[in-house]
Amino acid sequence: ASVRGRASGCGKPLDLGPDSDFLWWSDHETGGLDDWLRGGTAAGAMYATGGGAISVQPGLARSGRYALVATAGAAGATTAGQVTRLGLREDAYYGAWFYLSASATPATYWVFFSFHSDDGSGGGNVPLWDLKLVPVDAGGTLELQLLNHDTGDVTPLAHVAVPLGRWFQVQAFLHAAADASGALRVWLDGAPVYDVTGPTTIAAAPAISWTVGTITDGLTPSPTTLYVDDAFIAKRRIDPDAPPFWRP
């Protein structure tokens, strides 16, 4: 992403050049999945099944004209629309802005943000952490629920409602380690929701995969659409009020 500034006494934005703290990013303004799939199958992937879909479409967007659109199908079987960045090997902040127009209820689960790894020998696809959207009351209030695939659901630091009808940022810091040095922290619009220490992977030096979109065993109502924009992998935490990304 490029950094924007303003000249003294002038309201016109200036391009201050690329920000080296961004390891990868997408504002989706290519109109396709190019940024997610950049580098070939070793670096990016997409997945859709069970009536789900994943694409970049014009219309509702946090910045520019385009956003990533993930749609889930009806209950009864696994339905998914997801994109993934693969082969990540350094500590990083992973995040994006998301938009839901209304709540939805999963048959059992609704995962929208997850981490996988290899098995330490360059093979396999080991699920590590899932961040789920979970209804917590009869009114359809949604909260984030973190799942450790080895030990189950994690108790949150605080119960923070997911906003509906506006863009909200979810961001996670991951230090992937199989020992006590591991760490995973999650923020919703800058509010800390999870802070996990200890093993975060099963391998000593794994390649991490980060996935966004939707995978569920069905949502009501159906179809349900999740919008994603201004996705990033960065060396520093990105403020939820950061200006839209700029593709010079």
Side-chain angles (χ1 to χ4, degrees):
S2 285
V3 179
R4 289 197 291 186
R6 296 186 184 276
S8 178
C10 176
K12 183 178 180 180
L14 299 176
D15 182 1
L16 303 181
D19 187 332
S20 60
D21 281 346
F22 281 83
L23 303 172
W24 173 91
W25 65 280
S26 181
D27 59 2
H28 305 106
E29 290 305 298
T30 66
L33 296 173
D34 314 49
D35 294 329
W36 288 97
L37 304 179
R38 186 191 315 145
T41 56
M46 63 168 289
Y47 175 67
T49 192
I54 188 78
S55 63
V56 172
Q57 298 180 17
L60 182 65
R62 177 180 180 262
S63 64
R65 296 180 56 232
Y66 293 89
L68 186 69
V69 180
T71 303
T78 299
T79 174
Q82 300 175 300
V83 282
T84 299
R85 291 299 294 171
L86 300 143
L88 310 163
R89 294 188 177 274
E90 60 184 288
D91 293 357
Y93 294 82
Y94 301 80
W97 281 262
F98 300 84
Y99 185 101
L100 284 167
S101 61
S103 185
T105 301
T108 306
Y109 64 90
W110 181 8
V111 177
F112 76 105
F113 188 120
S114 60
F115 292 107
H116 289 215
S117 79
D118 64 12
D119 58 11
S121 62
N125 180 28
V126 181
L128 300 174
W129 301 91
D130 287 346
L131 200 56
K132 301 179 288 184
L133 291 162
V134 177
V136 295
D137 60 29
T141 301
L142 296 173
E143 292 185 1
L144 304 183
Q145 176 61 63
L146 181 65
L147 170 72
N148 179 316
H149 271 266
D150 283 338
T151 60
D153 286 343
V154 179
T155 301
L157 298 172
H159 292 279
V160 182
V162 171
L164 299 175
R166 71 164 177 84
W167 290 96
F168 60 92
Q169 188 208 58
V170 175
Q171 183 167 187
F173 169 79
L174 179 64
H175 169 58
D179 58 24
S181 70
L184 174 61
R185 302 183 186 99
V186 178
W187 298 266
L188 171 56
D189 277 343
V193 184
Y194 291 96
D195 189 350
V196 177
T197 57
T200 53
T201 70
I202 63 168
I208 297 297
S209 302
W210 173 53
T211 298
V212 299
T214 286
I215 185 166
T216 177
D217 54 354
L219 295 171
T220 303
S222 175
T224 292
T225 299
L226 173 70
Y227 297 86
V228 188
D229 206 5
D230 289 347
F232 61 86
I233 304 171
K235 296 179 184 179
R236 72 171 190 272
R237 189 173 157 199
I238 305 303
D239 192 281
D241 295 321
F245 295 168
W246 190 23
R247 190 182 298 264

